[in-house]
Amino acid sequence: MIHGGAGTGKIRKSSKHAQDISKALENSVSTGYDILEKSDGDAAAVNAVESAVASMEDSGLFNVGIDSCLILDKRIEMNASIMNGKDLAAGSVGMVQHMQNPVKLARQVMERTDHTMFVSDGPLELAKLFNITVAPVEPFLFIIDFHLLRE
């Protein structure tokens, strides 16, 4: 099961944007399902979840990855978490910047550290330690001045 968010705006079902969202959700599910079909062993479910979420992070259509909401100073900060239901291992990162797929780092927290969560500058330092690509992630679409929306 996946979920693409629950924003306050309504999207016309017949719109191009709604079709793009539907296609991205189908792609995310297919990505995860393909991994489950081809994989065997304990890591299969976690691999499928990580890949499905990364697919959504890469799409630019959801409030994750390259299209995350902006914080007050118009920078992207993201959160991600992942959990293995078999042994209840979990990993998460918060206030992540400069990373396209924070879910991949959350998995590293789960599997390679004694911690459950890293926040602030911690995820960036951990990504460097684990040789995970760190680069500025610019907003995928465009920046909206939310003050204008209220007037």
Side-chain angles (χ1 to χ4, degrees):
M1 178 191 307
I2 59 163
H3 124 35
T8 57
K10 294 192 181 213
I11 299 172
R12 281 195 352 244
K13 289 183 181 179
S14 62
S15 72
K16 170 89 168 88
H17 186 59
Q19 293 168 4
D20 291 345
I21 289 171
S22 181
K23 186 175 180 179
L25 290 171
E26 288 175 18
N27 184 54
S28 175
V29 169
S30 293
T31 298
Y33 186 79
D34 289 347
I35 289 172
L36 282 176
E37 251 188 350
K38 295 174 189 169
S39 299
D40 195 17
D42 293 343
V46 176
N47 291 340
V49 168
E50 178 186 8
S51 294
V53 171
S55 170
M56 293 174 72
E57 289 174 336
D58 292 341
S59 74
L61 294 169
F62 306 102
N63 184 18
V64 296
I66 60 177
D67 198 37
S68 291
C69 287
L70 304 177
I71 59 174
L72 289 176
D73 64 3
K74 296 185 172 99
R75 289 179 298 116
I76 292 175
E77 269 189 2
M78 301 166 278
N79 305 316
S81 63
I82 193 165
M83 183 177 200
N84 184 337
K86 185 171 183 149
D87 62 6
L88 302 182
S92 60
V93 291
M95 300 172 64
V96 175
Q97 297 180 42
H98 311 297
M99 193 169 301
Q100 184 161 337
N101 297 111
V103 71
K104 293 181 179 194
L105 184 57
R107 182 168 185 181
Q108 296 301 307
V109 170
M110 176 177 75
E111 293 181 346
R112 297 177 67 184
T113 76
D114 293 332
H115 303 279
T116 304
M117 176 179 256
F118 281 82
V119 297
S120 192
D121 294 333
L124 186 60
E125 295 303 315
L126 195 63
K128 290 176 186 175
L129 182 68
F130 291 153
N131 294 316
I132 295 174
T133 303
V134 176
V137 177
E138 298 300 324
F140 187 69
L141 299 173
F142 50 85
I143 296 174
I144 298 173
D145 188 338
F146 292 100
H147 292 71
L148 295 176
L149 294 176
R150 292 192 182 131
E151 294 177 359

